[in-house]
Amino acid sequence: MSVYSCQVCKFRYDEWLGDTKNGVPPGVPFSHLAGSVCTTCGMQGEGRHVRLPEATYSGLEATYYDQFAGKAGIAFYRNWLLQEAEQAPVSVLELGVGTGRIAIELARCGLSVCGVDNSPDMLEIATKKKRRMLKDNEELLELIEQNVQELQLASRFTHVLLPEGIFQQATCREEQRQLLSVVARHLTEGGTVAIDLLLPPVNRKWSLMQRKFVFPDRMVYQKVEGETLIAEQKFRYTLTYETFVEQVEQPRYRVERELALLLPGELELLLESSGYNVVQSRENVVCHRSQPPEQTEEYELDRWQHGGYPFAELPGAPGAATRWTIIAKKNSAPSL
């Protein structure tokens, strides 16, 4: 489902919502509207209507991102890449670097990382964290503001990461293949790509709620309401932040996002048909320990690894959202 806008009369149509005023039910494709709905343009005219890009992560969504993404995936990528570095030098390109949650941890461990994102607000947070946490090793992390679909860097990397569902922002096969082509251009021969897949709750419609004290007097509620259309192979959600300071509600922040619904097996087939060899596919959710750890006064960095954005469901909960990580190597010779 997509949102289209007329460049002349500015009429907008959201395929997911339909158009109640004009009697169009939800789910009707834009292509079915020709000659109807708008009296000005008739929803016709070549090149007149354009698909609107996905909203960038900005405002409160960028500000609160780390608070709800938590530590999901950080230890996995760090430990995996450090093992890879024992075999050969590692250079990392992270697409959708966001606030630098993963990239900064990798740089802290001495790995060279380039992070790309199209959100100025997210990159501003990442830059501040980089200065604070890397100090004398800031050169290990380069941050670039650019659309990943249009990426053209001079360098190649041994590993490319697409964490937290960034690959699913490409909602059609053409965009997905184009993104894999971008990855291939930036990988060394035999290089490795790792892609996180977000799988929503199994129900057609679902709602999730988290809340957190962000500052001593600030309670933030994160509500995610979504719908999954299996036939369309997409899911869409509305994310709302409600903030209260000393029990007084502040202005709300709301954004809608649409992601491709891809099963791990489907992504594996897509990778193999695009010149990659899948070497690992795993459900990347950290299970809780069956026994609590012994009390210690020492700080344990990885004792807790819960989180995820926008889903942070308890592992093992029936019908819960989950995350898979697929790792593949770029073939040395082009596929036939």
Side-chain angles (χ1 to χ4, degrees), residues 55 92 99 101 155 192 219 231 268 274 303 310:
V92 181
T99 61
R101 281 188 329 115
S155 303
T192 305
M219 171 66 78
E268 291 174 24
S274 301
R303 178 180 293 189

Side-chain angles (χ1 to χ4, degrees), residues 24-317:
V24 182
V28 173
F30 172 81
S31 59
H32 291 185
L33 299 182
S36 68
V37 181
C38 180
T39 58
T40 303
C41 67
M43 306 306 288
Q44 301 182 76
E46 185 176 354
R48 181 167 177 162
H49 298 87
V50 297
R51 179 182 169 191
L52 298 180
E54 191 82 9
T56 60
Y57 288 71
S58 60
L60 291 184
E61 188 175 21
T63 301
Y64 294 147
Y65 184 89
D66 285 356
Q67 303 294 330
F68 293 97
K71 290 193 172 183
I74 296 177
F76 168 77
Y77 281 112
R78 181 196 65 217
N79 296 341
W80 170 57
L81 288 168
L82 287 177
Q83 289 178 355
E84 295 278 288
E86 293 176 358
Q87 308 300 320
V90 165
S91 57
V92 181
L93 171 64
E94 183 181 349
L95 303 182
V97 68
T99 61
R101 281 188 329 115
I102 296 171
I104 288 175
E105 177 65 14
L106 299 179
R108 286 180 65 244
C109 295
L111 300 179
S112 174
V113 185
C114 176
V116 178
D117 205 286
N118 68 341
S119 168
D121 290 359
M122 297 283 267
L123 289 175
E124 181 180 357
I125 295 172
T127 300
K128 291 178 180 177
K129 290 165 62 177
K130 168 184 170 180
R131 292 169 182 164
R132 183 178 73 252
M133 300 176 69
L134 297 183
K135 295 182 180 179
D136 297 332
N137 294 315
E138 290 187 34
E139 72 281 355
L140 289 176
L141 175 57
E142 180 183 9
L143 297 171
I144 297 175
E145 181 183 340
Q146 194 170 345
N147 186 328
V148 298
Q149 291 278 14
E150 303 169 356
L151 193 62
Q152 292 277 2
L153 300 180
S155 303
R156 288 192 172 192
F157 304 83
T158 62
H159 294 74
V160 176
L161 312 182
L162 292 88
E164 293 295 321
I166 184 68
F167 183 80
Q168 291 162 273
Q169 292 182 12
T171 55
C172 65
R173 283 290 186 265
E174 181 182 354
E175 292 177 351
Q176 292 162 7
R177 291 188 183 279
Q178 179 181 341
L179 185 51
L180 290 178
S181 176
V182 170
V183 171
R185 287 200 305 269
H186 293 87
L187 270 178
T188 58
E189 292 301 319
T192 305
V193 59
I195 301 175
D196 281 353
L197 281 186
L198 303 182
L199 301 183
V202 296
N203 296 332
R204 183 174 181 271
K205 292 187 177 182
W206 31 270
S207 178
L208 309 169
M209 172 75 81
Q210 298 185 80
R211 58 182 178 178
K212 187 183 189 303
F213 279 112
V214 175
F215 301 106
D217 61 346
R218 185 180 297 264
M219 171 66 78
V220 178
Y221 291 77
Q222 182 202 61
K223 187 175 183 179
V224 183
E225 298 175 288
E227 183 177 8
T228 302
L229 289 183
I230 295 177
E232 300 290 341
Q233 288 193 284
K234 295 176 183 178
F235 64 94
R236 188 174 189 174
Y237 63 88
T238 299
L239 183 144
T240 304
Y241 283 117
E242 297 177 342
T243 306
F244 294 81
V245 178
E246 298 292 357
Q247 291 78 52
V248 178
E249 186 174 9
Q250 309 300 305
R252 295 184 184 185
Y253 181 92
R254 179 170 292 174
V255 66
E256 290 187 347
R257 300 205 173 278
E258 182 179 84
L259 299 178
L261 178 62
L262 275 172
L263 297 179
E266 292 178 292
L267 179 56
E268 291 174 24
L269 290 173
L270 181 59
L271 283 164
E272 290 171 353
S273 67
S274 301
Y276 298 86
N277 178 37
V278 176
V279 296
Q280 187 179 16
S281 178
R282 53 171 283 172
E283 187 177 12
N284 200 355
V285 176
V286 177
C287 295
H288 294 292
R289 299 179 181 179
S290 57
Q291 297 293 332
E294 296 182 1
Q295 294 295 323
T296 174
E297 295 182 357
E298 296 180 1
Y299 174 71
E300 295 183 27
L301 179 66
D302 297 328
R303 178 180 293 189
W304 305 103
Q305 299 175 39
H306 184 56
Y309 193 91
F311 309 123
E313 286 287 276
L314 293 176

